[in-house]
Amino acid sequence: MLNKQQMVSEETALPGNSYPITVSEPHFVNQSDLLAPPTSGQQEILLGLGCFWGAERLFWQLEGVVSTSVGYAGGFTHNPTYQQVCTGQTGHTEVVRVVFDPSILPLEALLKTFWESHDPTQGMRQGNDLGTQYRSAIYTFSNEQQSIAESSKQSYQQAMQAARGSEITTEVLPAGEYFYAEDYHQQYLAKNPNGYCGLGGTGVCFPPQ
């Protein structure tokens, strides 16, 4: 029986698909273009903190966030579908792509929301959601972002150690390819206000900077 909490390798991952998932709708909340690259002065980052339905809602509400979308990153299978990711055989985790204006919302502040909104010590799960697709991750797009993310993780690790004696398992890595999830996943909790959200923080506050 497949252990969904065991990471697959590139050799054992499912083969990819010829065509990517087509995202056809604008952002359901703010009508932004989900496919648009960051413009001058903007940045993007990929954040994995459990089921992406609840995670995305956290970020589109923040001042300084230009756009959000959900998708798959950190794995091996090219152009994966949700059904494939759910098998645990693609290596991907569910992520939110956040496009933001750092002059309004610095990355450090964005990561404060990330850390405080889930439990980053659970390995290949988040609450009752089990599997590699729910692992905690930060995927960065520049050396500066990588440095900020690593420093942020270290700061929160100190707080978690002091409060709970637990070790953060969050991946902090340069971003690979991001694959958009299906239209019905995008801004899911805006379209389905009573939909499932399994997110919950630890109650440990990020240390004042």
Side-chain angles (χ1 to χ4, degrees):
M1 183 177 177
L2 178 71
N3 181 1
K4 290 186 179 181
Q5 292 181 270
Q6 183 71 42
M7 187 69 175
V8 297
S9 66
E10 186 171 4
E11 292 71 32
T12 59
L14 290 175
N17 302 296
S18 299
Y19 301 101
I21 290 167
T22 301
V23 177
S24 58
E25 301 170 1
H27 197 286
F28 188 80
V29 177
N30 66 20
Q31 304 306 304
S32 60
D33 180 357
L34 301 189
L35 303 177
T39 62
S40 179
Q42 297 175 358
Q43 293 183 23
E44 64 180 318
I45 196 163
L46 304 178
L47 302 173
L49 55 159
C51 174
F52 53 21
W53 290 348
E56 185 183 14
R57 181 172 61 180
L58 289 170
F59 297 108
W60 78 53
Q61 300 179 66
L62 297 178
E63 183 180 2
V65 169
V66 177
S67 186
T68 59
S69 65
V70 295
Y72 316 114
F76 306 106
T77 300
H78 198 64
N79 297 327
T81 66
Y82 182 64
Q83 287 73 21
Q84 289 175 323
V85 172
C86 285
T87 67
Q89 297 182 72
T90 71
H92 293 289
T93 189
E94 296 186 14
V95 297
V96 184
R97 175 184 180 248
V98 183
V99 180
F100 63 102
D101 182 342
S103 69
I104 300 171
L105 180 66
L107 180 55
E108 292 88 344
L110 181 59
L111 292 176
K112 178 179 186 293
T113 295
F114 167 82
W115 293 118
E116 292 182 351
S117 299
H118 75 302
D119 185 345
T121 70
Q122 294 195 324
M124 301 301 184
R125 65 180 293 176
Q126 194 61 212
N128 292 327
D129 293 327
L130 304 178
T132 54
Q133 80 195 75
Y134 301 113
R135 70 186 185 272
S136 177
I138 302 171
Y139 299 127
T140 63
F141 287 85
S142 69
N143 290 337
E144 181 185 18
Q145 282 191 351
Q146 183 73 15
S147 177
I148 290 171
E150 289 173 350
S151 176
S152 179
K153 177 180 177 178
Q154 185 176 30
S155 294
Y156 201 57
Q157 176 59 67
Q158 291 172 354
M160 290 293 288
Q161 186 66 39
R164 299 178 54 180
S166 49
E167 191 75 20
I168 288 174
T169 58
T170 305
E171 295 179 351
V172 181
L173 297 169
E177 191 166 3
Y178 170 68
F179 300 99
Y180 286 89
E182 295 81 350
D183 267 337
Y184 74 92
H185 291 298
Q186 306 296 338
Q187 299 84 60
Y188 181 86
L189 290 184
K191 301 170 185 174
N192 303 275
N194 296 319
Y196 169 77
C197 175
L199 281 188
T202 62
V204 177
C205 294
F206 192 83
Q209 300 298 295

